[in-house]
Amino acid sequence: MIGLPGSVPAAGTCSRAGCSAAATWRIDWRNPRIHTGDRFKTWLACDEHVDYLRGFLEARSFPVEASAFDSAEAGT
């Protein structure tokens, strides 16, 4: 997903490959080489994979922000 800061992604499942658990975390990140400061990508994560996905992005020195994801907030 690509979005603007503060936009709410549609409800979904964890972005970790092979995981079908409900998302409980929202991870907003960007690659500074290709994304301007106002453009972020969003991954969703379950409790089990939030640290893995956040670590994957941080290891590449991407700006990352994780916050709770409430599927009701997304309109589902």
Side-chain angles (χ1 to χ4, degrees):
M1 282 180 206
I2 298 176
L4 298 173
S7 64
V8 178
T13 58
C14 180
S15 296
R16 174 77 163 116
C19 184
S20 60
T24 54
W25 290 92
R26 171 191 171 123
I27 303 171
D28 294 313
W29 64 278
R30 68 182 180 88
N31 180 339
R33 292 184 308 184
I34 60 174
H35 298 131
T36 61
D38 64 340
R39 185 170 177 218
F40 287 80
K41 293 188 93 174
T42 299
W43 286 352
L44 299 177
C46 65
D47 287 337
E48 181 179 347
H49 294 119
V50 66
D51 291 334
Y52 173 84
L53 292 171
R54 183 173 34 205
F56 177 86
L57 297 165
E58 288 173 343
R60 288 151 181 79
S61 299
F62 293 166
V64 177
E65 183 178 322
S67 59
F69 175 71
D70 181 0
S71 61
E73 187 179 329
T76 61

